[in-house]
Amino acid sequence: MSKPAHKIADINLAEAGRMVISLAENEMPGLLKIRAKYGANKPLDGARIAGCLHVTKETAVLVETLIILGAKVQWCSSNIFSTQDHVAAALVKCGIPIYAWKGETDEEFVWCMQQTLVFQDGQTLNMILDDGCNLAQLVYSKYPQYLSGIIGITEETSSGELILNRMFNAGELKTPCISVNTSVVKAKFENFYGCRESVIDGIRRATDVMLAGKVVVVSGFGDVGKGCASAFKMFGSRVIITEVDPINALQASMEGYEVTTLNEACKEGQVFVTATGGRQILTSNHFLNMREDAIVCNMGHFSHEIDCDWLNENATTDRIKAGVSRYTLSNGRHILLLGAGSPVNLACASGCPSFVMSNVFATQVLAQIELFNNKAKYSIGVHSLPKKRDEEVALSHLEKLGIKLTQLTIEQAKYLGIQQDGPYKPNHYRY
Ligand code: 9W4
């Protein structure tokens, strides 16, 4: 089968891409530590990784780390909008087969995934690094002949994990998998710190609005909601939380937030952020009760937390700029919808900071190493990374932050019934 060596928007952007990758490297100490620690042993020698994950500057540092550890990689993006074209160009310039560009059609998206399956020498993939189970589903549905050669799948998201578990329960799964999202460091960084750092960035880039003194309503007080609420609080906003879970509601109250229903809060809020993981959270009745030019956005994974369809069907729209739509309601008032309901930090800003992604991607690399090197240890099914590996990810970030870790004495370790060098907590421990 002959195929192009790569397909991207414009190779001339390579120099600009390399510059942002270099800056990202400095903010990704976990990946650099892994390069230093494992680079010589090449634990991924022989791995042929097909990767499907947003082609961003941070992913570039991930891809180049996998290569330094000995892997061959071919890569596509997991979202038609998310490719940073200059980054894709920089990777191609280094001979890495990238099939991704910003603004792919749905057909092109599938074509790009297909290009990652067979390597230039004719050998097929033996590892998958997936996001939302896109690539795994393609192989399972269209290329089952490749399945027996696949040693492992590492999956980035909770929605991908759900699909893998469904496949396992249906007896269809044929590969050991590691769900990276069950790792504590990955999840905390992406959901809490990542959102805390980027939600305001998204809203500010979209609207330039002052947040101090504003009433901000955050729906959902899980890790994402907690991160968002804390960012607004630090900015001087008055934050109201809505919750269905009494434990989260109580937590929110203990943090000093007012907790009430959206039916109440919709009249008061000036900025609304959904972060529930559910659907139909902000709907017509809420919109019609909101104050003039209320800002509405989502930080959850799916846009259906906001009833965007109702707005599109029942209000007239002015496009202020990319990612900012101003709706005129039947009552004459206006609503600003950001990012068409997509996560506002992604649609209107650059997503999580590189340091956050270093924690996420260091977890991915260790999951790839685990699966590729411990075939006997991982049965067909969906596994978590061992806690020692989770601790290794955290450890790899300490030096850069100037953190001095305390060492347990042998006696203290004995008293706690653990090893001196970890794992420090049982699997059920909640951080
Ligand atoms: N990005 C993205 C970019 C633009 C965009 C409809 C038009 C997720 C995680 C990481 O999804 C990502 N534009 C959109 S949706 C959308 C999404 N629309 C919506 O109307 C505009 C994405 C992981 N990540 C970081 O967070 C930082 N570095 C990373 O690799 C990246 C991108």
Side-chain angles (χ1 to χ4, degrees):
M1 187 176 81
S2 84
K3 62 161 195 171
H6 51 78
K7 188 161 164 57
I8 57 167
D10 183 359
I11 191 68
N12 295 312
L13 305 174
E15 209 176 313
R18 182 49 60 185
M19 279 195 251
V20 297
I21 296 171
S22 302
L23 284 184
E25 273 173 359
N26 198 36
E27 274 295 289
M28 302 189 79
L31 289 179
L32 298 197
K33 263 270 182 291
I34 287 175
R35 289 179 184 185
K37 183 170 175 186
Y38 296 104
N41 286 341
K42 305 260 178 262
L44 293 177
D45 195 15
R48 295 184 299 281
I49 303 173
C52 178
L53 184 58
H54 315 283
V55 180
T56 61
K57 56 188 188 294
E58 292 82 13
T59 303
V61 184
L62 164 66
V63 167
E64 295 188 331
T65 302
L66 295 169
I67 293 171
I68 289 168
L69 302 196
K72 280 187 180 173
V73 301
Q74 301 198 117
W75 214 268
C76 62
S77 183
S78 50
N79 182 299
I80 57 173
F81 295 117
S82 63
T83 298
Q84 296 172 344
D85 286 326
H86 54 328
V87 169
L91 292 175
V92 163
K93 193 89 178 181
C94 293
I96 305 171
I98 304 291
Y99 304 87
W101 56 95
K102 188 175 177 69
E104 295 162 10
T105 64
D106 291 339
E107 293 73 33
E108 288 166 340
F109 179 74
V110 174
W111 180 88
C112 288
M113 282 199 288
Q114 287 168 332
Q115 307 315 304
T116 67
L117 305 180
V118 182
F119 286 66
Q120 284 296 341
D121 60 5
Q123 288 195 289
T124 58
L125 75 169
N126 62 12
M127 295 291 290
I128 292 179
L129 192 155
D130 216 349
D131 179 43
C133 217
N134 283 306
L135 204 47
Q137 282 187 309
L138 178 77
V139 176
Y140 271 78
S141 61
K142 300 262 167 57
Y143 301 91
Q145 68 272 28
Y146 298 158
L147 282 175
S148 61
I150 297 180
I151 296 164
I153 300 174
T154 61
E155 165 57 44
E156 173 87 355
T157 65
S158 54
S159 39
E161 178 191 342
L162 198 69
I163 297 171
L164 291 171
N165 272 318
R166 280 196 194 129
M167 287 162 68
F168 179 67
N169 292 332
E172 290 161 7
L173 196 68
K174 300 207 160 41
T175 344
C177 308
I178 288 183
S179 169
V180 170
N181 204 60
T182 56
S183 294
V184 176
V185 178
K186 189 268 184 193
K188 282 276 177 223
F189 265 84
E190 201 159 55
N191 297 333
F192 183 77
Y193 301 112
C195 294
R196 191 173 76 176
E197 290 271 337
S198 60
V199 62
I200 287 180
D201 194 10
I203 294 171
R204 288 296 296 274
R205 287 201 214 181
T207 66
D208 295 336
V209 80
M210 175 138 179
L211 287 160
K214 292 276 187 307
V215 179
V216 179
V217 181
V218 178
S219 293
F221 201 66
D223 277 340
V224 174
K226 285 181 173 79
C228 294
S230 127
F232 291 117
K233 189 185 203 173
M234 289 190 286
F235 243 72
S237 308
R238 182 154 73 82
V239 183
I240 301 176
I241 304 294
T242 76
E243 248 300 342
V244 294
D245 180 329
I247 298 178
N248 294 66
L250 188 61
Q251 274 186 309
S253 183
M254 293 302 101
E255 290 300 320
Y257 300 113
E258 180 184 344
V259 184
T260 186
T261 62
L262 259 179
N263 283 344
E264 297 288 329
C266 67
K267 296 173 238 166
E268 238 188 305
Q270 292 160 294
V271 179
F272 293 83
V273 181
T274 52
T276 69
R279 58 195 294 276
Q280 294 286 87
I281 306 303
L282 278 174
T283 57
S284 55
N285 266 342
H286 305 127
F287 300 139
L288 288 166
N289 278 294
M290 286 178 187
R291 294 165 67 169
E292 171 62 3
D293 270 332
I295 294 168
V296 170
C297 62
N298 171 43
M299 281 292 287
H301 192 74
F302 294 112
S303 60
H304 58 213
E305 297 209 22
I306 300 170
D307 194 350
C308 301
D309 291 344
W310 185 88
L311 282 173
N312 288 326
E313 285 156 20
N314 295 282
T316 56
T317 322
D318 284 312
R319 185 177 174 277
I320 306 290
K321 61 177 181 178
V324 186
S325 295
R326 188 169 188 243
Y327 289 89
T328 309
L329 303 178
S330 56
N331 61 15
R333 285 202 291 271
H334 300 94
I335 282 181
L336 286 167
L337 176 68
L338 309 188
S342 290
V344 67
N345 63 332
L346 296 167
C348 300
S350 312
C352 295
S354 302
F355 192 89
V356 167
M357 297 315 294
S358 180
N359 284 276
V360 176
F361 290 163
T363 310
Q364 274 284 4
V365 175
L366 295 186
Q368 286 280 325
I369 293 176
E370 272 287 321
L371 281 180
F372 188 68
N373 290 283
N374 300 294
K375 298 179 186 85
K377 181 170 159 192
Y378 292 99
S379 56
I380 290 172
V382 186
H383 302 268
S384 294
L385 203 57
K387 187 163 291 291
K388 195 86 186 71
R389 292 292 204 181
D390 215 348
E391 291 172 355
E392 184 180 350
V393 171
L395 195 61
S396 69
H397 289 86
L398 299 191
E399 191 185 328
K400 170 86 178 178
L401 297 171
I403 290 172
K404 290 188 183 134
L405 198 63
T406 303
Q407 178 82 49
L408 276 178
T409 64
I410 295 176
E411 292 73 28
Q412 286 172 327
K414 220 181 250 170
Y415 172 77
L416 293 170
I418 59 177
Q419 299 291 313
Q420 237 184 327
D421 60 350
Y424 296 96
K425 300 286 193 296
N427 281 332
H428 61 261
Y429 181 81
R430 296 190 194 90
Y431 291 82

